[in-house]
Amino acid sequence: MVLLPRSGSSSLIASASNTIAPCPPYRRPYVPNPSLKGIFAGSGSASMSNPYIARAVIELTQRPPQDVSLLYIGTASYDINKFRDKQTDLFSKMGVTVESLNLANQYVPKEEMEEAVDKADIILVSGGNTLYAVDRWEYLGLDELLRGAAHRGKVMAGGSAGAICWFDGGHSDSRDPDTYRLSMLNQFEGNADPSSESNGQNNEDDGNSKDWEYIRVEGLGIWPGLVCPHYDRIQSNGVLRMTDFDSMMKRHPHELGIGIDHHAALEVDGDEFRILSIPGQTGSVNLEDADGKGRAPGAWIKYVDDDGTVHSKICPRSGKVTDLLQMLEDPQKHLLLDEEVELCRKENPL
């Protein structure tokens, strides 16, 4: 099924000679609006509660923390307070003014949403069910407000669903019934630990895997690409995300994939990018060529060649966004809809 793309990304013509991944005729290098900036993490809970990542988010505003206003949007986790506190408490302690825009369980007039977005220097989106969040924003009209805010230079941030939502789409656990609205509201009325964006996230398969599959969901299309958060992690279905992401890339071979480890983040500031790794954490990037052994958190670029083979390249620690990201030349032809999305919408309605 062909998907009519959301209008978010914009690009000028650029040379494909320096791109990190090959640039075939159906893609072109992405030249961003120089005002666009954001930090997109593999895990929102792990990253936004870490001083290294939180400071990086604040620094993108080019203001001292006491002069910064952060708007937290917890739609993907159904505005549950525990998830908000996990991701915003550190910002508050650093002096940032934190406000919330609660949309998941109530109607909010567009004027109120517009005022909240306009006041913010940072817009932080929670982890959770990406499909529900983006659909809800479109229903209420927040999607266009967020696109406008990004192009006016506000810092867009988040992890997991809060990373996927800013891009064309992503590798999502929105099909997991434990991330559905009623299930989440019932579970977290108690004292459950909100340490992960979705209830079933694990490092290893414990032998009690649940029967659900990852799906490709749409984002706002502010930046191009297909994002896979928690790239080095296994969730409650027992499937390693990096492995399943390869299968998804084969089903969506025209898109460029970006895998972000659980403890890593992609920072974008105009046409500059860098990969942030939380100190002391492990990931999927082999350190045999560095000082020491083991694996560090990082990011990967994925693409499918003409023979249908998926290729993976370690993302450089820093560089030009123009060399990193690529746009589809004809999204109406090459951006495809996951057929499981409609079923998921029926099971987890707005």
Side-chain angles (χ1 to χ4, degrees):
M1 182 182 298
V2 176
L3 167 67
L4 295 179
R6 293 183 169 97
S7 58
S9 302
S10 60
S11 176
L12 302 174
I13 301 300
S15 170
S17 58
N18 296 318
T19 57
I20 297 170
C23 194
Y26 48 82
R27 292 198 303 263
R28 69 176 184 271
Y30 170 69
V31 181
N33 178 334
S35 297
L36 290 174
K37 57 184 71 175
I39 290 184
F40 317 112
S43 165
S45 294
S47 295
M48 300 304 157
S49 61
N50 181 275
Y52 174 63
I53 301 296
R55 280 195 298 268
V57 174
I58 296 170
E59 287 171 0
L60 279 179
T61 70
Q62 299 183 327
R63 297 181 183 182
Q66 62 270 21
D67 294 337
V68 172
S69 176
L70 181 150
L71 178 64
Y72 173 80
I73 302 177
T75 318
S77 53
Y78 311 107
D79 301 324
I80 295 169
N81 290 338
K82 292 180 179 181
F83 293 95
R84 179 198 64 202
D85 296 344
K86 177 71 174 179
Q87 295 202 32
T88 63
D89 278 356
L90 180 57
F91 287 98
S92 295
K93 291 176 182 177
M94 297 173 75
V96 173
T97 299
V98 174
E99 303 287 346
S100 298
L101 183 57
N102 295 332
L103 307 167
N105 307 301
Q106 61 187 9
Y107 173 80
V108 179
K110 192 167 185 178
E111 295 77 12
E112 186 175 329
M113 295 189 296
E114 187 171 6
E115 180 180 0
V117 169
D118 285 345
K119 287 169 54 179
D121 302 300
I122 299 167
I123 297 175
L124 173 60
V125 171
S126 73
N129 194 297
T130 316
L131 178 64
Y132 183 93
V134 175
D135 282 353
R136 184 72 176 168
W137 298 343
E138 287 192 337
Y139 174 74
L140 295 172
L142 181 64
D143 57 326
E144 290 300 332
L145 297 179
L146 293 176
R147 291 188 186 99
H151 284 276
R152 292 196 303 273
K154 297 182 185 294
V155 177
M156 320 311 274
S160 192
I164 291 173
C165 67
W166 308 114
F167 289 79
D168 284 337
H171 182 270
S172 173
D173 62 356
S174 294
R175 191 71 178 83
D176 178 1
D178 286 344
T179 72
Y180 288 0
R181 178 174 170 271
L182 293 181
S183 175
M184 291 277 285
L185 292 175
N186 288 336
Q187 178 173 354
F188 289 99
E189 284 177 349
N191 295 313
D193 178 14
S195 61
S196 66
E197 284 79 4
S198 58
N199 307 340
Q201 185 180 297
N202 302 297
N203 273 321
E204 299 178 357
D205 182 1
D206 60 6
N208 297 311
S209 301
K210 298 182 179 180
D211 186 19
W212 59 269
E213 296 181 353
Y214 300 110
I215 59 173
R216 183 203 181 280
V217 299
E218 297 175 77
L220 296 175
I222 297 170
W223 284 271
L226 186 63
V227 172
C228 176
H230 309 291
Y231 179 74
D232 56 335
R233 291 299 177 99
I234 296 171
Q235 290 190 235
S236 65
N237 61 1
V239 180
L240 180 64
R241 290 190 75 144
M242 70 171 72
T243 301
D244 193 82
F245 193 33
D246 282 0
S247 298
M248 182 174 289
M249 290 296 301
K250 290 181 178 181
R251 298 193 301 271
H252 302 271
H254 301 99
E255 297 189 73
L256 191 71
I258 308 161
I260 305 174
D261 281 348
H262 186 82
H263 288 111
L266 167 64
E267 178 189 87
V268 173
D269 187 359
D271 193 34
E272 302 290 333
F273 80 85
R274 61 175 178 153
I275 302 301
L276 309 178
S277 301
I278 297 179
Q281 299 294 338
T282 59
S284 65
V285 178
N286 199 323
L287 292 179
E288 288 182 352
D289 295 331
D291 295 330
K293 298 180 180 180
R295 293 180 179 273
W300 297 77
I301 299 299
K302 288 182 176 284
Y303 63 94
V304 181
D305 65 20
D306 292 339
D307 295 327
T309 302
V310 179
H311 297 266
S312 304
K313 299 183 69 172
I314 297 175
C315 186
R317 303 304 298 183
S318 62
K320 296 290 186 181
V321 172
T322 307
D323 298 331
L324 175 69
L325 301 181
Q326 298 176 21
M327 295 183 67
L328 291 173
E329 287 281 5
D330 188 354
Q332 295 190 24
K333 180 178 180 181
H334 293 130
L335 203 57
L336 306 178
L337 178 66
D338 193 317
E339 294 181 355
E340 292 294 314
V341 164
E342 289 305 319
L343 179 60
C344 186
R345 284 176 171 141
K346 290 178 181 178
E347 294 177 348
N348 189 34
L350 298 180

